[in-house]
């Protein structure tokens, strides 16, 4: 009996080792590809961020933390951080909130759901670079439809009710893309317009997973109004979806580049008021051939994304539900 048990255990260990070897053999190509395409570039960027490397440079000097010190001391990089975090702080909550609101409205419709889904999702399907060019034409100071529409209110009762419009009628309509007071907010508006349709689709998918029986149970407990059903049933059930949507929206907000490049090709808007982090990586690393500084900005960007991802994982592992 002992010999039989020992033989069985030996066979089990052999099968386990064979299965592990097979698993490693099958996953080796994917792991090698991940290392080559993901880990190696990150390590290279980290090493280059401590140097003054540029293409075709005769020699490379190790500068230590000088590049990172510049990121937090020079005014242009301070503007970069300010513009990036302002964009994230404005675009993320508004695009998530509008996406949730649109999803709830569409989900409550008896007819026409597909039509409204298509309308709201069109900005997501369209190329953002092309849409930025369209917005550039719409915001043109003289021939743009935005200023031409605002001019229709000049000399009417609306001008007296809105001091901002009255000032525009007297001194000229805003230079939306040429004024540092408006440039960043224009980019934020386009980001919200382009992003909330994607969030709407994610929330619509989340709403399909809410059990209908919960609404009946909530109504029996006294939740009669739509607000009470949303607060007690819908919102808690959408907790995991909200964590995912906020995470994806934050990462997409940090990655904004096309809009800035299309609207402000000369360098991040007037006085660098819309100088985003991804645009700074492109400008320093490619246009100005400052690979070391571009790598430092890239590493900082990866740190922000990693922090967001870690928070998302922690909340997901706890199976977060809001109440």
């Amino acid at each position: 009996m002992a010999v039989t048990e020992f033989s069985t255990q030996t066979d089990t260990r052999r099968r386990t080792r064979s299965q592990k070897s097979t698993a490693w053999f099958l996953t080796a190509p994917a792991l090698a590809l991940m290392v080559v395409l993901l880990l190696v570039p990150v390590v290279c960027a980290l090493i280059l961020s401590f140097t003054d490397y540029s293409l075709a440079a005769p020699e490379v000097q190790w500068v230590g933390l000088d590049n990172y010190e510049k990121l937090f001391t020079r005014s242009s990089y301070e503007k970069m951080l300010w513009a990036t975090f302002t964009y994230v702080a404005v675009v993320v909550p508004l695009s998530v909130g509008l996406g949730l609101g649109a999803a709830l409205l569409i989900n409550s419709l008896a007819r026409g759901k597909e039509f409204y889904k298509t309308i709201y999702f069109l900005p997501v399907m369209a190329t953002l670079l092309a849409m930025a060019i369209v917005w550039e034409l719409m915001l043109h100071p003289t021939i743009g439809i935005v200023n031409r529409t605002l001019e229709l209110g000049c000399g009417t009762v609306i001008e007296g009710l809105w001091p901002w419009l009255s000032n525009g009628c007297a001194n000229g309509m805003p230079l939306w893309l040429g004024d540092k007071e408006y440039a960043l907010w224009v980019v934020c508006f386009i980001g919200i317009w382009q992003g909330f349709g994607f969030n709407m689709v994610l929330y619509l998918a989340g709403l399909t997973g809410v059990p209908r029986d919960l609404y009946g149970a909530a109504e029996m407990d006294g939740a009669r109004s739509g607000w009470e059903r949303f607060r007690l049933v819908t919102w808690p059930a959408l907790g995991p979806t909200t964590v995912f949507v906020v995470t994806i929206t934050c990462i997409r907000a940090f990655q904004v580049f096309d809009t800035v490049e299309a609207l402000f090709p000369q360098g991040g808007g007037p006085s660098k008021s819309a100088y985003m982090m991804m645009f700074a990586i492109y400008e320093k690393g490619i246009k100005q051939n400052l690979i070391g500084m571009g790598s430092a900005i890239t590493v900082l960007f990866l740190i922000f994304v990693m922090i967001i991802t870690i928070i998302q994982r922690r909340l997901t592992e706890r199976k977060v539900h809001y109440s």
Side-chain angles (χ1 to χ4, degrees), residues 139 141 174-183 264 269-271 273:
L139 295 170
L175 299 173
W176 299 104
L177 303 179
D179 192 331
K180 63 180 182 180
E181 295 184 2
Y182 298 108
F264 314 107
S271 300
S273 56

Side-chain angles (χ1 to χ4, degrees), residues 8 37 51 78 139 157 175 197-198 217 219 287-288 295 299 304:
T8 303
L37 296 181
T51 69
E78 290 178 356
L139 295 170
V157 66
L175 299 173
F198 181 74
E219 188 172 354
K287 293 180 68 175
Q288 299 181 7
S295 299
V299 171
F304 291 148

Side-chain angles (χ1 to χ4, degrees), residues 25 28 31 37 43 105 109 113 116 127 161 166-167 170-171 174 218 220-221 242 245 248 255 268 289 296 306 308:
F25 177 76
L31 290 174
L37 296 181
V43 173
L105 290 174
L109 295 176
K113 290 184 179 181
Y116 287 105
T127 304
L161 297 176
S166 178
N167 181 65
N171 302 316
M220 292 178 62
D221 289 339
T242 301
V245 170
I248 294 298
Q255 292 176 334
N289 194 23
M306 188 179 299
I308 295 172

